[in-house]
Amino acid sequence: MTDEHQTLALLLFSGFVAVTLAITTWVSRKRRGSAEEFYAGGRLFSPMENGFAIAGDYMSAASFLGVTGLIALFGYDGLLYVVGFLVAWLVVLFLVAELVRNCGRFTLADVVAARMRERPVRIAAGTSSVTVSVLYLVAQMVGAGSLVALLLGGTSEAARAWTVIGVGALMVIYVSLGGMRATTWIQIVKAVLLLGGTIALTALVLVRFHGDLDRLLLTAAERSGHGEAFLAPGLKYGGDWTARFDFISLGLALVLGTAGLPHILSRFYTVPTARAARRSVVWAVGLIGGFYLMTIVLGFGAAAIVGPDAVRGSNAAGNTAVPLLALDLGGGAGSTGGTVLFAIVAAVAFATILAVVAGITLASSASVAHDLYASLRRRGGKPRSEVAVARVAAVGVGVVAIALGLLARDLNVAFLVGLAFAVAASANLPVLLYSLFWRGFTTRGAVWAVYGGLVPAVVLVVLSPVVSGSPDSLFPNADLQFFPLQNPGLVSIPLGFLAGWLGTVTSAEVPDEARHAETEVRSLTGAGAA
Protein backbone atom coordinates (compact mmCIF):
# COMPACT_ATOMS: atom_id res chain seq x y z
CA MET A 1 0.00 0.00 0.00
CA THR A 2 1.07 3.59 -0.54
CA ASP A 3 1.88 5.93 2.34
CA GLU A 4 -1.44 7.74 1.86
CA HIS A 5 -3.38 4.50 2.02
CA GLN A 6 -1.47 3.37 5.10
CA THR A 7 -2.35 6.66 6.78
CA LEU A 8 -6.03 6.18 5.97
CA ALA A 9 -5.91 2.61 7.23
CA LEU A 10 -4.20 3.59 10.48
CA LEU A 11 -6.74 6.38 11.08
CA LEU A 12 -9.63 3.93 10.80
CA PHE A 13 -7.60 1.46 12.80
CA SER A 14 -7.11 3.98 15.63
CA GLY A 15 -10.77 5.03 15.71
CA PHE A 16 -11.98 1.98 17.58
CA VAL A 17 -9.18 2.28 20.12
CA ALA A 18 -10.22 5.88 20.82
CA VAL A 19 -13.89 4.91 21.19
CA THR A 20 -13.14 2.01 23.53
CA LEU A 21 -10.83 4.10 25.67
CA ALA A 22 -13.59 6.74 25.90
CA ILE A 23 -16.05 4.04 27.04
CA THR A 24 -13.57 2.82 29.64
CA THR A 25 -12.94 6.34 30.95
CA TRP A 26 -16.68 7.08 31.13
CA VAL A 27 -17.41 3.86 33.00
CA SER A 28 -14.46 4.27 35.38
CA ARG A 29 -15.95 7.57 36.60
CA LYS A 30 -19.31 5.93 37.35
CA ARG A 31 -18.17 2.73 39.03
CA ARG A 32 -18.66 2.22 42.77
CA GLY A 33 -15.56 0.08 43.30
CA SER A 34 -17.35 -2.95 44.79
CA ALA A 35 -16.41 -6.52 43.88
CA GLU A 36 -19.85 -7.09 42.32
CA GLU A 37 -19.42 -4.00 40.15
CA PHE A 38 -15.88 -4.89 39.07
CA TYR A 39 -16.44 -8.62 38.41
CA ALA A 40 -20.09 -8.67 37.26
CA GLY A 41 -20.99 -5.11 36.21
CA GLY A 42 -23.56 -4.91 39.01
CA ARG A 43 -25.59 -7.74 37.37
CA LEU A 44 -27.58 -5.10 35.51
CA PHE A 45 -27.31 -6.23 31.87
CA SER A 46 -30.36 -7.42 29.94
CA PRO A 47 -30.40 -10.82 28.17
CA MET A 48 -30.03 -9.15 24.76
CA GLU A 49 -27.10 -7.00 25.92
CA ASN A 50 -25.43 -9.97 27.55
CA GLY A 51 -26.12 -12.14 24.49
CA PHE A 52 -24.34 -9.62 22.26
CA ALA A 53 -21.51 -9.41 24.81
CA ILE A 54 -21.18 -13.21 24.92
CA ALA A 55 -21.07 -13.29 21.12
CA GLY A 56 -18.48 -10.51 21.18
CA ASP A 57 -16.46 -12.41 23.76
CA TYR A 58 -16.65 -15.71 21.87
CA MET A 59 -16.19 -14.58 18.24
CA SER A 60 -12.47 -14.13 18.63
CA ALA A 61 -9.51 -13.66 16.32
CA ALA A 62 -9.49 -17.44 16.06
CA SER A 63 -12.93 -17.30 14.46
CA PHE A 64 -12.52 -14.29 12.20
CA LEU A 65 -8.88 -14.77 11.17
CA GLY A 66 -7.80 -18.31 12.03
CA VAL A 67 -10.83 -20.38 11.00
CA THR A 68 -11.25 -18.51 7.73
CA GLY A 69 -7.55 -19.02 7.01
CA LEU A 70 -7.77 -22.74 7.72
CA ILE A 71 -10.75 -23.12 5.38
CA ALA A 72 -8.86 -21.16 2.71
CA LEU A 73 -5.83 -23.46 3.05
CA PHE A 74 -7.43 -26.85 3.81
CA GLY A 75 -11.02 -26.57 2.59
CA TYR A 76 -13.40 -29.08 4.16
CA ASP A 77 -11.12 -29.95 7.08
CA GLY A 78 -11.13 -26.32 8.19
CA LEU A 79 -14.87 -26.63 8.79
CA LEU A 80 -14.20 -28.73 11.90
CA TYR A 81 -13.61 -25.54 13.86
CA VAL A 82 -16.90 -24.02 12.66
CA VAL A 83 -18.88 -27.10 13.69
CA GLY A 84 -17.04 -27.52 17.00
CA PHE A 85 -17.31 -23.88 18.06
CA LEU A 86 -21.06 -23.82 17.35
CA VAL A 87 -22.12 -27.26 18.66
CA ALA A 88 -20.33 -26.47 21.93
CA TRP A 89 -23.07 -24.00 22.78
CA LEU A 90 -25.61 -26.82 23.09
CA VAL A 91 -23.60 -28.09 26.07
CA VAL A 92 -23.54 -24.59 27.54
CA LEU A 93 -27.26 -24.01 26.98
CA PHE A 94 -28.57 -27.29 28.37
CA LEU A 95 -26.05 -28.15 31.11
CA VAL A 96 -24.27 -25.06 32.32
CA ALA A 97 -25.77 -21.57 31.88
CA GLU A 98 -28.65 -21.50 34.39
CA LEU A 99 -27.02 -23.79 36.94
CA VAL A 100 -23.77 -21.81 37.02
CA ARG A 101 -25.66 -18.51 37.37
CA ASN A 102 -27.62 -19.85 40.34
CA CYS A 103 -24.73 -21.55 42.16
CA GLY A 104 -21.88 -19.04 41.78
CA ARG A 105 -21.06 -15.37 42.28
CA PHE A 106 -18.07 -14.46 40.10
CA THR A 107 -15.93 -17.48 39.09
CA LEU A 108 -15.97 -21.20 38.36
CA ALA A 109 -14.57 -21.92 41.82
CA ASP A 110 -17.69 -20.44 43.44
CA VAL A 111 -19.79 -23.25 41.96
CA VAL A 112 -17.48 -26.01 43.19
CA ALA A 113 -16.74 -24.47 46.59
CA ALA A 114 -20.46 -24.24 47.41
CA ARG A 115 -20.37 -27.83 48.69
CA MET A 116 -16.63 -28.50 49.27
CA ARG A 117 -13.82 -27.29 51.51
CA GLU A 118 -13.12 -23.89 50.01
CA ARG A 119 -9.37 -23.38 50.21
CA PRO A 120 -8.03 -26.38 48.20
CA VAL A 121 -10.84 -26.17 45.66
CA ARG A 122 -10.37 -22.45 45.03
CA ILE A 123 -6.60 -22.80 44.64
CA ALA A 124 -7.01 -25.65 42.12
CA ALA A 125 -9.81 -24.02 40.12
CA GLY A 126 -8.08 -20.63 40.17
CA THR A 127 -4.83 -22.11 38.88
CA SER A 128 -6.66 -23.90 36.09
CA SER A 129 -8.66 -20.81 35.08
CA VAL A 130 -5.54 -18.64 34.87
CA THR A 131 -3.76 -21.28 32.75
CA VAL A 132 -6.66 -21.53 30.28
CA SER A 133 -6.99 -17.75 30.10
CA VAL A 134 -3.31 -17.22 29.35
CA LEU A 135 -3.37 -19.84 26.56
CA TYR A 136 -6.42 -18.13 25.04
CA LEU A 137 -4.77 -14.73 25.33
CA VAL A 138 -1.71 -15.93 23.43
CA ALA A 139 -3.89 -16.74 20.41
CA GLN A 140 -5.32 -13.20 20.39
CA MET A 141 -1.83 -11.70 20.64
CA VAL A 142 -0.63 -13.74 17.66
CA GLY A 143 -3.63 -12.59 15.63
CA ALA A 144 -2.92 -8.95 16.51
CA GLY A 145 0.71 -9.25 15.46
CA SER A 146 -0.15 -10.77 12.08
CA LEU A 147 -2.86 -8.21 11.41
CA VAL A 148 -0.95 -5.06 12.18
CA ALA A 149 2.19 -6.26 10.42
CA LEU A 150 0.08 -6.70 7.28
CA LEU A 151 -1.60 -3.33 7.79
CA LEU A 152 1.77 -1.61 8.00
CA GLY A 153 2.75 -3.14 4.67
CA GLY A 154 5.25 -5.68 5.90
CA THR A 155 5.86 -8.53 8.28
CA SER A 156 8.82 -7.13 10.19
CA GLU A 157 9.42 -8.75 13.56
CA ALA A 158 9.70 -5.35 15.25
CA ALA A 159 6.25 -4.26 14.05
CA ARG A 160 4.66 -7.49 15.22
CA ALA A 161 6.43 -7.36 18.58
CA TRP A 162 5.34 -3.78 19.31
CA THR A 163 1.78 -4.65 18.26
CA VAL A 164 1.63 -7.49 20.77
CA ILE A 165 2.99 -5.19 23.48
CA GLY A 166 0.46 -2.47 22.55
CA VAL A 167 -2.50 -4.88 22.70
CA GLY A 168 -1.30 -6.11 26.08
CA ALA A 169 -1.10 -2.56 27.41
CA LEU A 170 -4.60 -1.69 26.15
CA MET A 171 -6.19 -4.77 27.70
CA VAL A 172 -4.66 -3.93 31.08
CA ILE A 173 -6.10 -0.40 30.84
CA TYR A 174 -9.57 -1.67 29.93
CA VAL A 175 -9.73 -4.13 32.81
CA SER A 176 -8.01 -2.15 35.55
CA LEU A 177 -10.02 1.04 34.93
CA GLY A 178 -13.40 -0.15 33.68
CA GLY A 179 -13.93 -3.66 35.04
CA MET A 180 -16.81 -5.78 33.74
CA ARG A 181 -19.07 -2.87 32.80
CA ALA A 182 -16.56 -1.32 30.37
CA THR A 183 -15.52 -4.75 29.09
CA THR A 184 -19.15 -5.65 28.34
CA TRP A 185 -19.87 -2.49 26.37
CA ILE A 186 -16.64 -2.91 24.41
CA GLN A 187 -17.74 -6.46 23.55
CA ILE A 188 -21.21 -5.29 22.47
CA VAL A 189 -19.77 -2.62 20.17
CA LYS A 190 -17.29 -5.12 18.80
CA ALA A 191 -20.02 -7.74 18.13
CA VAL A 192 -22.05 -5.22 16.12
CA LEU A 193 -18.99 -4.13 14.13
CA LEU A 194 -17.85 -7.71 13.49
CA LEU A 195 -21.26 -8.93 12.36
CA GLY A 196 -21.69 -5.87 10.14
CA GLY A 197 -18.27 -6.33 8.54
CA THR A 198 -18.80 -10.06 8.06
CA ILE A 199 -22.21 -9.54 6.44
CA ALA A 200 -20.75 -6.95 4.04
CA LEU A 201 -17.83 -9.20 3.01
CA THR A 202 -20.08 -12.23 2.59
CA ALA A 203 -22.43 -10.23 0.36
CA LEU A 204 -19.50 -9.03 -1.78
CA VAL A 205 -18.18 -12.60 -2.19
CA LEU A 206 -21.64 -13.84 -3.24
CA VAL A 207 -22.04 -10.92 -5.66
CA ARG A 208 -18.65 -11.77 -7.20
CA PHE A 209 -19.99 -15.27 -7.99
CA HIS A 210 -23.55 -14.08 -8.78
CA GLY A 211 -24.92 -15.98 -5.81
CA ASP A 212 -23.76 -19.31 -7.23
CA LEU A 213 -22.32 -21.24 -4.27
CA ASP A 214 -21.51 -24.23 -6.47
CA ARG A 215 -19.33 -22.07 -8.67
CA LEU A 216 -17.65 -20.58 -5.59
CA LEU A 217 -16.72 -24.03 -4.25
CA LEU A 218 -15.51 -25.33 -7.62
CA THR A 219 -13.35 -22.23 -8.17
CA ALA A 220 -11.87 -22.59 -4.68
CA ALA A 221 -11.06 -26.24 -5.34
CA GLU A 222 -9.48 -25.41 -8.68
CA ARG A 223 -7.26 -22.65 -7.28
CA SER A 224 -6.27 -24.72 -4.24
CA GLY A 225 -4.13 -27.07 -6.31
CA HIS A 226 -5.81 -30.09 -4.68
CA GLY A 227 -8.84 -30.39 -6.94
CA GLU A 228 -11.83 -32.24 -5.52
CA ALA A 229 -9.79 -33.30 -2.47
CA PHE A 230 -10.13 -29.70 -1.26
CA LEU A 231 -13.88 -30.26 -0.82
CA ALA A 232 -13.58 -33.67 0.84
CA PRO A 233 -12.42 -34.75 4.31
CA GLY A 234 -8.79 -35.69 4.83
CA LEU A 235 -6.64 -32.89 3.40
CA LYS A 236 -5.34 -31.89 6.83
CA TYR A 237 -6.52 -34.68 9.13
CA GLY A 238 -6.69 -37.74 6.88
CA GLY A 239 -3.09 -38.59 6.09
CA ASP A 240 -2.59 -41.35 8.66
CA TRP A 241 -4.02 -42.61 11.94
CA THR A 242 -2.15 -39.95 13.91
CA ALA A 243 -3.87 -37.24 11.89
CA ARG A 244 -7.24 -38.91 12.36
CA PHE A 245 -6.79 -39.16 16.12
CA ASP A 246 -5.78 -35.49 16.08
CA PHE A 247 -9.08 -34.76 14.32
CA ILE A 248 -11.05 -36.57 17.04
CA SER A 249 -9.01 -34.92 19.77
CA LEU A 250 -9.60 -31.44 18.38
CA GLY A 251 -13.32 -32.10 17.92
CA LEU A 252 -13.68 -33.22 21.55
CA ALA A 253 -11.77 -30.16 22.78
CA LEU A 254 -13.88 -27.71 20.77
CA VAL A 255 -17.26 -29.22 21.68
CA LEU A 256 -16.52 -29.68 25.40
CA GLY A 257 -14.13 -26.79 26.02
CA THR A 258 -16.55 -23.85 25.76
CA ALA A 259 -18.42 -24.88 28.91
CA GLY A 260 -15.13 -24.68 30.84
CA LEU A 261 -13.84 -21.32 29.56
CA PRO A 262 -13.57 -18.90 32.52
CA HIS A 263 -14.40 -15.77 30.51
CA ILE A 264 -17.57 -17.38 29.13
CA LEU A 265 -18.74 -18.63 32.54
CA SER A 266 -18.16 -15.21 34.09
CA ARG A 267 -20.62 -13.64 31.62
CA PHE A 268 -23.53 -15.54 33.21
CA TYR A 269 -23.02 -13.54 36.42
CA THR A 270 -23.68 -10.19 34.72
CA VAL A 271 -27.46 -10.76 34.44
CA PRO A 272 -29.92 -10.63 37.35
CA THR A 273 -31.48 -14.13 37.08
CA ALA A 274 -30.89 -17.64 35.73
CA ARG A 275 -33.73 -17.16 33.25
CA ALA A 276 -31.89 -14.13 31.91
CA ALA A 277 -28.72 -16.23 31.65
CA ARG A 278 -30.55 -18.82 29.54
CA ARG A 279 -32.06 -16.16 27.31
CA SER A 280 -28.59 -14.62 26.93
CA VAL A 281 -27.32 -17.92 25.56
CA VAL A 282 -30.23 -18.13 23.11
CA TRP A 283 -29.31 -14.66 21.79
CA ALA A 284 -25.64 -15.65 21.64
CA VAL A 285 -26.31 -18.90 19.77
CA GLY A 286 -28.31 -17.05 17.10
CA LEU A 287 -25.62 -14.43 16.59
CA ILE A 288 -22.72 -16.88 16.70
CA GLY A 289 -24.46 -19.37 14.40
CA GLY A 290 -25.06 -16.73 11.74
CA PHE A 291 -21.47 -15.55 12.02
CA TYR A 292 -19.97 -19.03 11.54
CA LEU A 293 -22.13 -19.72 8.51
CA MET A 294 -20.67 -16.59 6.95
CA THR A 295 -17.07 -17.58 7.80
CA ILE A 296 -17.56 -20.64 5.59
CA VAL A 297 -18.34 -18.37 2.64
CA LEU A 298 -15.38 -16.13 3.49
CA GLY A 299 -12.98 -19.08 3.79
CA PHE A 300 -13.86 -20.58 0.43
CA GLY A 301 -14.08 -17.05 -0.99
CA ALA A 302 -10.48 -16.38 0.06
CA ALA A 303 -9.40 -19.63 -1.57
CA ALA A 304 -11.26 -18.80 -4.80
CA ILE A 305 -10.43 -15.09 -5.08
CA VAL A 306 -7.08 -14.63 -3.34
CA GLY A 307 -5.73 -18.16 -3.68
CA PRO A 308 -4.04 -20.33 -1.02
CA ASP A 309 -0.55 -19.50 -2.34
CA ALA A 310 -1.07 -15.76 -1.81
CA VAL A 311 -2.53 -16.43 1.64
CA ARG A 312 0.47 -18.54 2.63
CA GLY A 313 2.82 -15.96 1.15
CA SER A 314 1.42 -13.32 3.48
CA ASN A 315 1.17 -15.54 6.56
CA ALA A 316 2.13 -19.21 6.57
CA ALA A 317 -0.62 -20.07 9.08
CA GLY A 318 -3.35 -18.33 7.05
CA ASN A 319 -4.16 -15.65 9.63
CA THR A 320 -4.39 -12.85 7.02
CA ALA A 321 -6.84 -14.50 4.59
CA VAL A 322 -9.77 -12.20 5.47
CA PRO A 323 -7.88 -8.87 5.16
CA LEU A 324 -6.40 -10.02 1.84
CA LEU A 325 -9.89 -11.00 0.64
CA ALA A 326 -11.20 -7.55 1.60
CA LEU A 327 -8.36 -5.89 -0.29
CA ASP A 328 -9.19 -7.84 -3.44
CA LEU A 329 -12.96 -7.33 -3.17
CA GLY A 330 -12.48 -3.58 -2.83
CA GLY A 331 -10.47 -3.27 -6.04
CA GLY A 332 -7.06 -4.72 -5.31
CA ALA A 333 -3.79 -3.43 -3.89
CA GLY A 334 -3.18 0.26 -4.57
CA SER A 335 -6.86 1.12 -5.11
CA THR A 336 -8.66 3.45 -2.73
CA GLY A 337 -11.66 1.11 -2.45
CA GLY A 338 -9.46 -1.86 -1.69
CA THR A 339 -7.50 -0.01 0.94
CA VAL A 340 -10.59 1.42 2.63
CA LEU A 341 -12.27 -2.01 2.79
CA PHE A 342 -9.01 -3.59 3.95
CA ALA A 343 -8.64 -0.96 6.68
CA ILE A 344 -12.24 -1.40 7.85
CA VAL A 345 -11.81 -5.17 8.09
CA ALA A 346 -8.47 -4.75 9.85
CA ALA A 347 -10.06 -2.33 12.32
CA VAL A 348 -12.93 -4.77 12.95
CA ALA A 349 -10.47 -7.63 13.45
CA PHE A 350 -8.44 -5.49 15.82
CA ALA A 351 -11.64 -4.59 17.69
CA THR A 352 -12.31 -8.32 17.94
CA ILE A 353 -8.94 -8.91 19.52
CA LEU A 354 -9.19 -6.03 21.98
CA ALA A 355 -12.69 -7.02 23.16
CA VAL A 356 -11.78 -10.68 23.63
CA VAL A 357 -8.51 -10.01 25.47
CA ALA A 358 -10.34 -7.62 27.80
CA GLY A 359 -12.86 -10.33 28.71
CA ILE A 360 -10.21 -13.00 29.20
CA THR A 361 -7.97 -10.73 31.25
CA LEU A 362 -10.87 -9.79 33.52
CA ALA A 363 -11.76 -13.45 34.07
CA SER A 364 -8.18 -14.43 34.86
CA SER A 365 -7.60 -11.47 37.19
CA ALA A 366 -10.86 -12.37 38.96
CA SER A 367 -9.57 -15.92 39.46
CA VAL A 368 -6.29 -14.62 40.87
CA ALA A 369 -7.96 -12.19 43.28
CA HIS A 370 -11.23 -13.91 44.18
CA ASP A 371 -9.92 -17.48 44.31
CA LEU A 372 -6.15 -17.57 44.81
CA TYR A 373 -5.56 -14.37 46.81
CA ALA A 374 -8.76 -14.69 48.84
CA SER A 375 -7.80 -18.25 49.79
CA LEU A 376 -4.18 -17.54 50.67
CA ARG A 377 -4.39 -14.10 52.31
CA ARG A 378 -4.57 -13.50 56.03
CA ARG A 379 -8.06 -12.87 57.34
CA GLY A 380 -9.06 -9.39 58.37
CA GLY A 381 -7.87 -7.50 55.29
CA LYS A 382 -9.62 -4.48 53.88
CA PRO A 383 -12.95 -5.33 52.17
CA ARG A 384 -11.95 -3.65 48.90
CA SER A 385 -8.43 -5.08 48.76
CA GLU A 386 -9.59 -7.94 46.51
CA VAL A 387 -10.49 -5.54 43.69
CA ALA A 388 -7.10 -3.84 44.01
CA VAL A 389 -5.42 -7.23 43.73
CA ALA A 390 -7.48 -7.99 40.61
CA ARG A 391 -6.17 -4.81 38.96
CA VAL A 392 -2.59 -5.75 39.77
CA ALA A 393 -3.25 -9.30 38.53
CA ALA A 394 -4.43 -7.88 35.21
CA VAL A 395 -0.98 -6.36 34.74
CA GLY A 396 0.76 -9.63 35.57
CA VAL A 397 -1.45 -11.67 33.25
CA GLY A 398 -0.84 -9.11 30.49
CA VAL A 399 2.94 -9.41 30.84
CA VAL A 400 2.84 -13.22 30.66
CA ALA A 401 0.49 -13.16 27.64
CA ILE A 402 2.74 -10.67 25.83
CA ALA A 403 5.83 -12.84 26.38
CA LEU A 404 4.11 -16.02 25.15
CA GLY A 405 2.47 -14.16 22.26
CA LEU A 406 5.89 -13.08 21.00
CA LEU A 407 7.10 -16.68 21.25
CA ALA A 408 4.15 -18.24 19.38
CA ARG A 409 3.80 -15.58 16.66
CA ASP A 410 4.08 -18.04 13.73
CA LEU A 411 1.28 -20.44 14.77
CA ASN A 412 -2.34 -20.35 13.52
CA VAL A 413 -4.59 -18.55 15.98
CA ALA A 414 -7.44 -21.07 15.65
CA PHE A 415 -5.01 -23.88 16.40
CA LEU A 416 -3.76 -22.06 19.52
CA VAL A 417 -7.34 -21.57 20.72
CA GLY A 418 -7.88 -25.31 20.21
CA LEU A 419 -5.17 -25.93 22.82
CA ALA A 420 -6.90 -23.58 25.28
CA PHE A 421 -10.21 -25.40 24.69
CA ALA A 422 -8.48 -28.74 25.36
CA VAL A 423 -7.12 -27.56 28.71
CA ALA A 424 -10.53 -26.08 29.66
CA ALA A 425 -12.32 -29.32 28.77
CA SER A 426 -9.74 -31.40 30.65
CA ALA A 427 -9.49 -29.40 33.88
CA ASN A 428 -12.61 -27.25 34.30
CA LEU A 429 -15.46 -29.22 32.74
CA PRO A 430 -15.07 -32.46 34.81
CA VAL A 431 -15.07 -30.64 38.15
CA LEU A 432 -17.98 -28.43 37.06
CA LEU A 433 -20.22 -31.32 35.93
CA TYR A 434 -19.34 -33.52 38.90
CA SER A 435 -20.09 -30.68 41.32
CA LEU A 436 -23.47 -29.98 39.74
CA PHE A 437 -24.70 -33.55 39.19
CA TRP A 438 -22.83 -36.07 41.42
CA ARG A 439 -24.25 -36.33 44.92
CA GLY A 440 -21.22 -38.22 46.27
CA PHE A 441 -18.53 -35.87 44.91
CA THR A 442 -15.89 -34.87 47.51
CA THR A 443 -13.21 -32.23 47.96
CA ARG A 444 -10.43 -34.65 47.05
CA GLY A 445 -12.31 -35.60 43.90
CA ALA A 446 -12.66 -31.93 42.96
CA VAL A 447 -8.95 -31.20 43.41
CA TRP A 448 -7.91 -34.37 41.60
CA ALA A 449 -10.32 -33.65 38.73
CA VAL A 450 -8.73 -30.23 38.15
CA TYR A 451 -5.10 -31.27 38.42
CA GLY A 452 -5.76 -34.66 36.80
CA GLY A 453 -6.87 -32.87 33.64
CA LEU A 454 -4.69 -29.76 33.82
CA VAL A 455 -1.29 -31.37 34.36
CA PRO A 456 -1.59 -34.05 31.63
CA ALA A 457 -2.96 -31.48 29.14
CA VAL A 458 -0.07 -29.06 29.71
CA VAL A 459 2.58 -31.80 29.81
CA LEU A 460 1.29 -33.43 26.62
CA VAL A 461 1.35 -30.06 24.83
CA VAL A 462 4.98 -29.57 25.92
CA LEU A 463 5.86 -33.04 24.61
CA SER A 464 3.89 -32.63 21.36
CA PRO A 465 4.92 -31.44 17.87
CA VAL A 466 3.53 -28.00 18.82
CA VAL A 467 6.57 -27.23 20.98
CA SER A 468 9.41 -29.13 19.30
CA GLY A 469 10.35 -31.81 16.82
CA SER A 470 9.05 -30.28 13.57
CA PRO A 471 9.81 -27.23 11.37
CA ASP A 472 6.54 -25.55 12.45
CA SER A 473 7.18 -25.94 16.19
CA LEU A 474 7.81 -23.18 18.69
CA PHE A 475 11.37 -24.51 19.05
CA PRO A 476 12.16 -26.14 15.68
CA ASN A 477 15.79 -26.83 16.61
CA ALA A 478 14.89 -28.84 19.72
CA ASP A 479 13.27 -32.27 19.90
CA LEU A 480 11.29 -33.09 23.04
CA GLN A 481 8.49 -34.73 21.09
CA PHE A 482 7.18 -37.92 22.70
CA PHE A 483 3.43 -37.39 22.19
CA PRO A 484 2.37 -37.60 18.52
CA LEU A 485 -0.89 -35.58 18.63
CA GLN A 486 -0.98 -31.79 18.34
CA ASN A 487 -4.07 -31.50 20.54
CA PRO A 488 -4.06 -33.40 23.87
CA GLY A 489 -7.84 -33.53 24.36
CA LEU A 490 -8.32 -37.18 23.40
CA VAL A 491 -6.13 -38.25 26.33
CA SER A 492 -6.37 -35.42 28.86
CA ILE A 493 -10.18 -35.00 28.89
CA PRO A 494 -10.89 -38.62 29.93
CA LEU A 495 -8.04 -38.37 32.46
CA GLY A 496 -9.72 -35.36 34.08
CA PHE A 497 -13.00 -37.24 34.53
CA LEU A 498 -11.17 -40.38 35.67
CA ALA A 499 -9.09 -38.47 38.23
CA GLY A 500 -12.23 -36.84 39.67
CA TRP A 501 -13.92 -40.23 40.05
CA LEU A 502 -10.81 -41.87 41.52
CA GLY A 503 -10.23 -39.06 44.00
CA THR A 504 -13.83 -39.33 45.20
CA VAL A 505 -14.01 -43.12 45.62
CA THR A 506 -10.66 -43.20 47.48
CA SER A 507 -11.55 -40.29 49.78
CA ALA A 508 -12.36 -40.87 53.43
CA GLU A 509 -14.48 -37.72 53.45
CA VAL A 510 -18.22 -38.26 53.86
CA PRO A 511 -20.14 -36.21 51.29
CA ASP A 512 -22.24 -33.46 52.88
CA GLU A 513 -25.77 -34.42 51.87
CA ALA A 514 -27.27 -31.22 53.27
CA ARG A 515 -24.92 -28.95 51.31
CA HIS A 516 -25.52 -30.97 48.15
CA ALA A 517 -29.28 -30.67 48.62
CA GLU A 518 -28.93 -26.93 49.16
CA THR A 519 -26.78 -26.60 46.01
CA GLU A 520 -29.22 -28.69 44.00
CA VAL A 521 -32.21 -26.60 45.06
CA ARG A 522 -30.32 -23.38 44.37
CA SER A 523 -29.11 -24.56 40.95
CA LEU A 524 -32.58 -25.60 39.81
CA THR A 525 -34.70 -22.84 41.35
CA GLY A 526 -32.38 -19.90 41.97
CA ALA A 527 -33.44 -19.72 45.64
CA GLY A 528 -30.65 -18.00 47.59
CA ALA A 529 -28.63 -17.16 44.47
CA ALA A 530 -26.48 -14.03 44.49
Side-chain angles (χ1 to χ4, degrees):
M1 291 187 293
T2 65
D3 291 341
E4 292 81 4
H5 288 160
Q6 281 190 14
T7 302
L8 174 62
L10 288 172
L11 285 173
L12 290 170
F13 195 77
S14 303
F16 180 81
V17 176
V19 170
T20 53
L21 287 175
I23 291 172
T24 303
T25 304
W26 173 66
V27 169
S28 66
R29 291 176 179 174
K30 298 180 64 176
R31 61 179 170 79
R32 299 190 302 272
S34 66
E36 185 173 283
E37 175 70 25
F38 185 80
Y39 295 142
R43 310 190 200 281
L44 299 175
F45 292 101
S46 69
M48 185 182 75
E49 291 170 342
N50 197 42
F52 269 88
I54 290 172
D57 211 354
Y58 192 70
M59 296 183 301
S60 66
S63 304
F64 192 53
L65 302 177
V67 171
T68 311
L70 286 173
I71 295 174
L73 296 180
F74 300 105
Y76 184 96
D77 278 10
L79 296 178
L80 172 64
Y81 286 88
V82 174
V83 176
F85 283 148
L86 186 55
V87 171
W89 280 97
L90 297 178
V91 179
V92 176
L93 179 60
F94 292 118
L95 293 180
V96 173
E98 284 189 78
L99 306 184
V100 165
R101 172 62 189 85
N102 284 335
C103 289
R105 292 182 66 225
F106 305 126
T107 65
L108 165 70
D110 289 336
V111 180
V112 184
R115 48 177 294 215
M116 310 290 176
R117 294 200 312 273
E118 277 203 48
R119 193 170 185 273
V121 165
R122 285 194 181 279
I123 292 173
T127 302
S128 171
S129 295
V130 171
T131 303
V132 173
S133 297
V134 169
L135 281 173
Y136 209 108
L137 278 172
V138 170
Q140 311 310 313
M141 298 296 191
V142 171
S146 301
L147 189 67
V148 174
L150 182 63
L151 182 65
L152 295 174
T155 55
S156 70
E157 296 300 323
R160 296 174 71 179
W162 281 109
T163 300
V164 170
I165 293 170
V167 170
L170 283 170
M171 76 184 188
V172 170
I173 293 171
Y174 292 148
V175 172
S176 59
L177 290 182
M180 178 59 85
R181 195 180 292 259
T183 298
T184 299
W185 282 110
I186 291 168
Q187 288 164 345
I188 292 171
V189 172
K190 166 261 172 129
V192 173
L193 289 175
L194 181 61
L195 288 168
T198 307
I199 290 170
L201 282 180
T202 302
L204 289 173
V205 170
L206 293 176
V207 167
R208 177 72 66 92
F209 289 91
H210 307 290
D212 190 344
L213 290 175
D214 189 48
R215 184 182 168 196
L216 167 63
L217 295 175
L218 291 176
T219 305
E222 183 180 340
R223 291 206 63 181
S224 71
H226 298 286
E228 293 183 359
F230 190 71
L231 304 178
L235 194 59
K236 181 174 174 61
Y237 295 109
D240 52 27
W241 279 106
T242 300
R244 294 174 188 178
F245 281 125
D246 235 336
F247 177 87
I248 298 171
S249 186
L250 178 61
L252 278 174
L254 295 179
V255 171
L256 299 178
T258 299
L261 292 176
H263 64 291
I264 296 298
L265 295 176
S266 67
R267 290 240 50 93
F268 300 135
Y269 300 124
T270 64
V271 290
T273 64
R275 182 170 181 266
R278 184 181 68 249
R279 290 175 61 197
S280 297
V281 175
V282 173
W283 270 99
V285 169
L287 295 169
I288 293 167
F291 169 76
Y292 280 120
L293 286 175
M294 289 186 287
T295 61
I296 297 174
V297 176
L298 296 184
F300 284 110
I305 296 171
V306 180
D309 292 339
V311 172
R312 284 193 183 91
S314 173
N315 182 275
N319 294 331
T320 55
V322 172
L324 291 174
L325 176 63
L327 187 65
D328 197 296
L329 289 172
S335 66
T336 301
T339 303
V340 170
L341 190 57
F342 173 90
I344 291 172
V345 168
V348 168
F350 195 62
T352 294
I353 292 166
L354 289 180
V356 173
V357 297
I360 302 167
T361 305
L362 180 60
S364 56
S365 62
S367 293
V368 171
H370 186 62
D371 298 328
L372 299 178
Y373 171 73
S375 298
L376 298 173
R377 72 176 177 180
R378 293 180 179 178
R379 299 301 175 190
K382 294 181 181 179
R384 293 175 59 182
S385 62
E386 190 179 299
V387 175
V389 171
R391 294 195 176 99
V392 175
V395 178
V397 170
V399 171
V400 173
I402 288 168
L404 292 176
L406 293 174
L407 188 65
R409 57 184 175 268
D410 293 324
L411 296 181
N412 182 277
V413 288
F415 168 74
L416 288 170
V417 165
L419 295 182
F421 273 63
V423 177
S426 303
N428 291 348
L429 186 64
V431 71
L432 180 61
L433 294 183
Y434 279 151
S435 298
L436 291 173
F437 299 111
W438 188 6
R439 183 181 299 274
F441 198 42
T442 64
T443 301
R444 177 192 282 184
V447 174
W448 282 28
V450 173
Y451 292 127
L454 177 65
V455 174
V458 173
V459 170
L460 290 177
V461 168
V462 171
L463 299 179
S464 74
V466 175
V467 173
S468 65
S470 72
D472 299 326
S473 302
L474 291 180
F475 302 103
N477 297 325
D479 190 1
L480 301 173
Q481 180 186 340
F482 294 99
F483 182 66
L485 304 184
Q486 294 188 332
N487 191 292
L490 187 61
V491 176
S492 59
I493 294 173
L495 284 178
F497 282 98
L498 178 62
W501 172 82
L502 190 62
T504 298
V505 298
T506 59
S507 173
E509 176 186 354
V510 178
D512 192 328
E513 294 285 340
R515 293 181 72 180
H516 174 267
E518 180 185 345
T519 302
E520 189 173 39
V521 170
R522 179 185 297 178
S523 68
L524 295 175
T525 67

